[in-house]
Structure formats: C-alpha cells, structure tokens
Amino acid sequence: MALAQLLDNFSQLAGPYALPIFALVGAFSALHYAFRFLNAFTSIFILSGTNVRKFGPPGSWAVVTGASDGLGKEFAVQLAQKGFNIVLVSRTLSKLNALAVEIESKYPKTQTKVLAMDFAQDSAADYKKLSDLVQNLDIAILINNVGKSHNMPVPFLETEDAEMEDIITINVKGTLKVTKIIAPGMVERKRGLILTMGSFGGFLPTPLLATYSGSKAFLQHWSTSLGAELQPHGVQVQLVIAYLITSAMSKIRKPSMMIPTPKGFVKACLGKIGVTGTAGGRAGTITPFWAHSVMHWAIESLGIWNSFVLKKNKDMHVSIRKRALRKKEREAAALKKGH
Ligand SMILES: NC(=O)c1ccc[n+]([C@@H]2O[C@H](COP(=O)([O-])OP(=O)(O)OC[C@H]3O[C@@H](n4cnc5c(N)ncnc54)[C@H](OP(=O)(O)O)[C@@H]3O)[C@@H](O)[C@H]2O)c1
C-alpha cells in the first residue's frame, strides 16, 4: 500500500517524465540482473582461475595446516602434484609422517617437512618451531585450513567453555599467528598466495553453530582486509567458502551433487583462484565448487537471505542436534548393555 502511494505521488510530481523515468529505472535493473547472472554463470562454469604455479617457481614451498586429513591432506597432495614442496602441520605426527612418505613416493622430486602441533594449545614454543622450520624456505603458498567446529549443533548458552575456546583459538588465533609467520617472506619476495578456509557458516549466520559461524565470519572480514593490504606487495589473499564436503568434520561419508569429496572440492578450489564471480563478486572470496556457488548465488541474488534463510538454517541444525542426541543415547545404551 505504501509503495503504491509512493509511486502515485512520484507520478504526480514527475508529470510527463514519470513514464520515461520508470522505463529507465526498469531497464537499468534488468541490465544489472542480466550482468550479475552472466558474471555468475561464466565464473562458475567457464572461467579458470590463476595458475597456482604463478605464485612460486619449482622448488618453492606450500605450507598446509590441518594437513593430515580431509581437505588439508588433499591440498597437500594436489599441490605436491603441481610441483610444490610441502610443509605439513597438524597434531598427529604418525599421520603426518605417513602422508610425507606417501607424497614423496608418489612425487619423487617433492620434499616434505612435518610439524606436529596442537593449535588449541596456543603454545609460543610451537609457533617458534614453525617459524624456525620455514625460516629459510621460499614459501609460495599458505593454506590456512586447520579448523574446528562444534561436536554437534548446540545452543550457544549450552556450549561448553572448552569447546568455545578451542574453536576461537584454533580457527581465529591459529590462522592469524601462522599468517604472521609466513606472510612477511611473501611480501619480501613480492609473490605468494594465502588461502583461508571459510564456510557457509561465515557467510550465513548459523544458529546452534554460533561460535563456529562467528569464527568463520571473522576470517571472512580479516582475509578480505588483509588481501587489500597485501595486494600492492604482489601477494594474493583468498577466502574460500564451502557448504558441506565429505570429511571427519562434517561426519558425512557419502558424496552427492551438493556434497563433494575433499578431492573434488580441492581440485575445484585450485582451479578457481581469483574468480570472485563464484562468490557473488565478493572481493578476495571464492565459492569454488559449482553446486555451492549456485546456492550462494541464489541466496544472495534472490534477496531471500534474511529471516527466511536464518529460519531454515536454524530448523536444519535443530533437527541435526535431535538426531545426534538420539544417536548418542543409542550408543550409551549399547555400551551399557555390553558391560
Ligand atoms: N568438511 C566440511 O563440510 C567443511 C565445510 C566448510 C568449511 N570447512 C572447513 O575446512 C577446513 C578443513 O575441514 P575438514 O572437513 O577437512 O576437517 P577434518 O577432516 O576434520 O580434518 C581436520 C584436520 O585438521 C587437523 N587438526 C584438527 N584439530 C587440530 C588442532 N587442534 N591442531 C592441529 N591440527 C588439527 C586434523 O589432524 P589431527 O587430528 O592429526 O590434528 C586434520 O588433519 C576447516 O577449516 C573447516 O572449517 C569444512
């Protein structure tokens, strides 16, 4: 009603110019949406990203955090395949050593270094070890992949303090501290790529994953700001948005059209560096996997992303929590029976 009144008032005010003004505004909006659609379509389905080899010559290194499993492991393997030497960082030394052997036997020219550290400990001694390890290396690529989510969706007020602190310490502090160690060398060499794992949880507020969602939103703004600071020094900074991927963290084992394997996701990611049209044109951001990108585009472009998406997101996590609690009860009952 208010809109009809507004248009009526405007028509009376503009007199004979009202119709051409309406036509012009209509044409401009149609062009705007057509351009957005075309940009998204070409970005998602046609354009290739910057070749990662541009960030460093043969013999240069990539540092991957959270490297022993899931996406991190896949980033390490695929970057080794592209000729980078790899520094592998995560908690479990045995898994890191096994991966180092796997990489070196598959790609005999590749060198690896491993560092076992627990980002949740936030230990100055561990960061010093990392700093010493990379001191004389030409690091071309940093993959800030390590991350922790909630063990299951949980209302914020019921979140255990230890879980809340670990999420912030690993996702936020860990990423910042590793980047502070690695980025100065990139600035000196005037080249490099810093890629940080974000999430749909950072792009869409996610009830029952509030601390995780907030940590990823932090990374979104931090990464984009850092990108603007480092761009004049030749260092490209990218925040990567993902929906779900099969992994230990997502607890999803079966891939589907919407849920790729780490292999498929990382391949898409390394092929779309710099193609921000996959993330609705957000500076320094990519949503590299095509089905996630289409969903990202639909949520943003159709303008429905406020309360509707928030409610759907909440309903989905309430239902996941119910199922997870039931599973926990079943497991506890089975354990009791076994004794
Ligand atoms: N999977 C998804 O659906 C999804 C969606 C969006 C975004 N992401 C993001 O993608 C990234 C990787 O997720 P993922 O699914 O690949 O996880 P994942 O399969 O659970 O792997 C996590 C990796 O991090 C290491 N890690 C865990 N806690 C650590 C700690 N405290 N200190 C050092 N290393 C630690 C693990 O090895 P150790 O156990 O040996 O330490 C493992 O190598 C995360 O940042 C996540 O938020 C994932």
Side-chain angles (χ1 to χ4, degrees):
M1 202 57 189
L3 183 67
Q5 181 86 54
L6 199 75
L7 290 175
D8 200 36
N9 288 351
F10 177 76
S11 302
Q12 280 177 21
L13 252 167
Y17 299 108
L19 205 62
I21 290 174
F22 281 135
L24 215 68
V25 171
F28 179 77
S29 322
L31 263 173
H32 170 76
Y33 280 106
F35 175 76
R36 279 192 65 144
F37 176 78
L38 216 67
N39 185 32
F41 184 85
T42 49
S43 300
I44 297 169
F45 297 108
I46 299 170
L47 293 179
S48 304
T50 309
N51 185 336
V52 288
R53 281 268 45 130
K54 183 199 141 206
F55 299 105
S60 59
W61 290 74
V63 174
V64 183
T65 65
S68 58
D69 210 345
L71 297 179
K73 182 175 180 182
E74 205 46 54
F75 272 116
V77 170
Q78 292 193 27
L79 286 170
Q81 189 182 23
K82 289 180 190 298
F84 291 96
N85 297 318
I86 314 285
V87 178
L88 304 158
V89 186
S90 75
R91 278 174 307 192
T92 321
L93 188 60
S94 56
K95 287 205 257 173
L96 291 172
N97 282 336
L99 179 60
V101 168
E102 183 187 325
I103 288 175
E104 288 187 10
S105 54
K106 222 169 172 182
Y107 309 107
K109 284 188 190 154
T110 305
Q111 298 172 53
T112 58
K113 288 182 188 289
V114 302
L115 175 65
M117 70 180 272
D118 180 352
F119 284 93
Q121 299 304 315
D122 193 26
S123 144
D126 282 339
Y127 286 109
K128 171 82 171 54
K129 277 187 206 158
L130 177 63
S131 177
D132 291 347
L133 187 70
V134 300
Q135 202 178 23
N136 295 316
L137 302 182
D138 173 351
I139 311 281
I141 297 179
L142 166 61
I143 309 285
N144 281 320
N145 167 75
V146 72
K148 176 176 167 60
S149 186
H150 300 267
N151 292 330
M152 71 168 81
V154 57
F156 175 70
L157 296 183
E158 292 172 34
T159 308
E160 285 181 11
D161 285 353
E163 183 173 85
M164 188 177 78
E165 270 163 34
D166 281 356
I167 290 172
I168 299 300
T169 307
I170 297 168
N171 299 9
V172 175
K173 276 184 159 180
T175 303
L176 265 53
K177 289 186 177 184
V178 171
T179 305
K180 266 203 139 181
I181 290 171
I182 307 293
M186 292 179 167
V187 169
E188 219 166 83
R189 291 182 289 275
K190 296 191 184 350
R191 58 171 164 73
L193 169 69
I194 299 173
L195 202 146
T196 299
M197 276 311 298
S199 166
F200 258 63
F203 146 61
L204 296 173
T206 307
L208 277 77
L209 297 181
T211 306
Y212 176 75
S213 181
S215 75
K216 292 294 180 178
F218 173 95
L219 291 178
Q220 170 82 56
H221 279 243
W222 165 78
S223 173
T224 310
S225 308
L226 180 71
E229 290 178 23
L230 297 191
Q231 188 256 340
H233 302 281
V235 179
Q236 193 164 355
V237 182
Q238 295 276 280
L239 192 280
V240 179
I241 295 184
Y243 177 56
L244 289 168
I245 301 144
T246 59
S247 81
M249 180 188 278
S250 68
K251 301 187 178 76
I252 300 174
R253 270 176 293 177
K254 204 168 153 234
S256 65
M257 189 180 78
M258 285 307 296
I259 306 176
T261 59
K263 189 174 182 180
F265 183 84
V266 168
K267 185 164 186 281
C269 186
L270 296 178
K272 289 286 182 188
I273 304 297
V275 188
T276 56
T278 56
R282 285 176 178 226
T285 307
I286 53 174
T287 306
F289 185 69
W290 74 270
H292 297 177
S293 188
V294 169
M295 185 157 100
H296 186 151
W297 175 81
I299 291 169
E300 283 207 321
S301 317
L302 300 179
I304 53 171
W305 84 282
N306 266 331
S307 31
F308 175 74
V309 175
L310 188 63
K311 183 179 176 320
K312 286 280 157 212
N313 218 358
K314 183 177 169 196
D315 292 348
M316 181 170 110
H317 287 93
V318 166
S319 141
I320 296 173
R321 178 170 172 78
K322 275 187 191 148
R323 271 181 281 142
L325 285 174
R326 278 202 298 268
K327 187 173 172 212
K328 210 173 156 189
E329 269 169 29
R330 276 198 309 274
E331 282 169 356
L335 207 68
K336 219 171 153 190
K337 232 175 165 181
H339 279 294

